[in-house]
Amino acid sequence: MKYTDLIENMGNLPQYTLHGSPNNNLTLDQIQVYNPNGSKQNKKGKIYGGFYTTHPNDITQAQKYATPTGSIYKININPNAKIITKDGDITRLSQEVIKQYTNDGYDIVTGKDPRGYSEYAIINTNIITSIEKINNV
């Protein structure tokens, strides 16, 4: 399904998602699917990826990821981005899974985090049209 189809299916979903980050100066060129410096998600010798965002209605989720001193960003998405819905937790998408989805033409994986909140894991950063800081936490 295209991102625009998701918008239609979910009602009034804007063509953007939210990202909370401790980085107060995040720019489009800094967004990566894989963090070369590792992260808390990289465990047991495996590499996981995805640039995680949340639904605009879940701004409190973005605030949690921003930490007390970070910022929230509006991530504008190309309406033709292709999205796949994955059942269950999408917190740790392996390199293999991401490669398979991108080979199949997908740009975003949507699903739930461990607490049941909707997440959007961007696996193709080329579908991000712009990034805009909307506030400091």
Side-chain angles (χ1 to χ4, degrees), residues 4-54:
T4 50
D5 296 332
L6 181 69
I7 292 166
E8 291 169 11
N9 292 341
M10 294 185 72
N12 296 324
L13 178 68
Q15 290 183 326
Y16 67 89
T17 58
L18 296 177
H19 176 75
S21 174
N23 182 346
N24 284 309
N25 298 301
L26 185 65
T27 60
L28 185 58
D29 63 324
Q30 293 172 333
I31 296 175
Q32 301 172 338
V33 173
Y34 301 103
N35 182 347
N37 299 320
S39 71
K40 291 179 183 175
Q41 289 188 16
N42 293 339
K43 297 181 180 185
K44 298 180 185 173
K46 288 196 146 201
I47 296 175
Y48 299 98
F51 178 73
Y52 286 84
T53 65
T54 190

Side-chain angles (χ1 to χ4, degrees), residues 30 57 91 112 125:
Q30 293 172 333
N57 291 343
T91 303
K112 304 289 183 184
T125 57

Side-chain angles (χ1 to χ4, degrees), residues 86-91 110-119:
K86 181 179 180 296
D87 290 333
D89 183 6
I90 67 164
T91 303
T110 185
K112 304 289 183 184
D113 74 1
R115 295 163 295 221
Y117 291 98
S118 294
E119 281 192 320

